[in-house]
Amino acid sequence: MASSVTVRAPSSTANLGPGFDVFGLALDAFFDEITITKKGKGIRIITSDSIPVVPKKNTAGVVVTELANKFKIKDGIEVKIKKGVPAGFGVGSSAASASAAVVAMNRLFQLDLDNNSLVKFAGAGEKASVGSIHYDNVAASVLGGFVIVRTNPLDVIRIEPPSDLVLCIAIPDLKVPAKKTEVSRSVVPKIIKLADGIANLSNAAAIVAGFMKKDPILIGKSVKDVIVEPVRQHMIPGFKQVKENALDAGANGVTISGAGPSVIAFTTKSSNQKKICAAMKRGFASSNTNCQTIICRPCKGAIDL
Ligand code: ADP
């Protein structure tokens, strides 16, 4: 049996507008790489990136600890983390580490976990960063493609995205507060108006139809959220302008990526992505904020190298 396994897991965007805590999409913008080795005693995290190294505070560390306990693994485990996904920007950084860790542990210790179990353990890891379990980013990062998360019991449905769906992400150069996700979750209303529920449900259903029909325009045009985006947008300086500019430049839909502050525009292969990125950059600049823009595609989930 191998004594070391390396897994690469992708970034992801959660929600896609109306699918709060339900939809996720794996993106080839960034990747985390994790090497898990049977070595020494206990669980040890090695990284040169600025993330917690105490296992119970690191999403990969929590995954490894939970699996070691559950499967009564006695070996010492070294977890080497090479971050590629920027942390705290709403592109699934903590989820990528959790996802790479669960797939690496599954392979190294031949745990034979099915897809839902992989997602469940990765989700438990996410709790280390967010404080509450949500599976949208980890489901996308583990399984790849577009995912729909059902809970009680956990059941993830994966759909292969259309090959001509292209995303533009603008990542603003902002100092992200440590508890960003918790803060941005706290503003989400607990009770919603029926009319808003209907609007989001119709758009969420249309997004699923868009993925099933391999129609990137239907997907983009349905990325409309009247519940969460309106209460979160004020946390992102220039959001309204970024969105308006991207739509004017030809994007089919624009929303907050996960809990933000990144903004994601949905386009197709034939759109002018460079123009859309420049338009988003101008939008952030109007609020004196720099941003990095990335053109990316949906991608496969975590794979061992
Ligand atoms: P993101 O959308 O990038 O995952 P979150 O706010 O959910 O943003 O998570 C980032 C937070 O999680 C940071 O405070 C970071 O210190 C913490 N964290 C814990 N473990 C990791 C990890 N392995 N990779 C990235 N962030 C981690």
Side-chain angles (χ1 to χ4, degrees):
M1 218 195 283
S3 68
S4 184
V5 169
T6 299
V7 170
R8 204 173 80 136
S11 47
S12 55
T13 187
N15 305 342
L16 289 85
F20 182 71
D21 275 2
V22 174
F23 292 165
L25 181 66
L27 299 173
D28 67 0
F30 309 100
F31 295 87
D32 273 12
E33 207 175 286
I34 291 197
T35 302
I36 295 199
T37 308
K38 290 183 196 170
K39 199 171 175 181
K41 279 204 169 114
I43 293 163
R44 200 158 61 99
I45 293 179
I46 299 178
T47 185
S48 54
D49 297 293
S50 52
I51 49 168
V53 287
V54 178
K56 67 170 189 251
K57 296 211 163 137
N58 188 294
T59 56
V62 172
V63 169
V64 171
T65 307
E66 295 241 334
L67 286 169
N69 290 341
K70 169 94 181 165
F71 292 92
K72 302 188 174 30
I73 294 168
K74 298 281 179 289
D75 304 87
I77 302 171
E78 181 191 273
V79 185
K80 220 182 247 173
I81 306 176
K82 222 160 74 188
K83 293 294 301 174
V85 188
F89 288 91
V91 286
S93 179
S94 46
S97 288
S99 303
V102 79
V103 172
M105 286 292 286
N106 189 42
R107 173 56 69 98
L108 184 60
F109 293 99
Q110 300 182 344
L111 305 178
D112 216 13
L113 296 171
D114 63 16
N115 283 349
N116 284 336
S117 304
L118 289 170
V119 172
K120 195 166 195 149
F121 280 103
E126 268 277 74
K127 201 166 178 224
S129 73
V130 184
S132 58
I133 298 193
H134 61 112
Y135 297 97
D136 40 12
N137 285 109
V138 285
S141 194
V142 169
L143 305 178
F146 173 68
V147 293
I148 303 167
V149 176
R150 300 168 71 223
T151 45
N152 296 323
L154 181 67
D155 178 28
V156 182
I157 299 158
R158 181 192 183 283
I159 307 173
E160 187 61 30
S163 60
D164 46 357
L165 177 63
V166 184
L167 299 309
C168 299
I169 310 178
I171 305 175
D173 193 1
L174 294 172
K175 226 178 148 39
V176 183
K179 300 259 177 213
K180 175 214 71 185
T181 303
E182 272 177 86
V183 173
S184 53
R185 288 182 82 81
S186 70
V187 300
V188 176
K190 305 241 172 345
I191 294 169
I192 58 166
K193 279 199 292 203
L194 181 62
D196 290 349
I198 292 169
N200 269 30
L201 181 58
S202 65
N203 283 311
I207 287 176
V208 174
F211 277 98
M212 295 297 296
K213 293 167 77 157
K214 310 267 181 253
D215 180 344
I217 295 175
L218 178 57
I219 295 168
K221 287 201 178 305
S222 311
V223 171
K224 285 186 186 146
D225 165 24
V226 298
I227 297 171
V228 180
E229 189 182 292
V231 295
R232 278 185 170 173
Q233 61 185 10
H234 68 274
M235 296 176 165
I236 306 170
F239 174 79
K240 272 191 171 166
Q241 202 59 52
V242 174
K243 180 170 176 170
E244 196 181 304
N245 287 3
L247 291 170
D248 285 348
N252 297 121
V254 180
T255 192
I256 301 167
S257 182
S262 298
V263 180
I264 186 162
F266 288 70
T267 81
T268 69
K269 226 191 239 169
S270 55
S271 320
N272 186 342
Q273 282 92 25
K274 283 198 178 137
K275 186 175 164 196
I276 293 166
C277 285
M280 294 170 94
K281 236 181 206 318
R282 275 200 314 278
F284 272 120
S286 71
S287 288
N288 300 315
T289 305
N290 286 324
C291 77
Q292 178 196 359
T293 53
I294 308 257
I295 299 167
C296 61
R297 302 264 184 135
C299 68
K300 286 196 173 69
I303 42 167
D304 36 314
L305 300 173

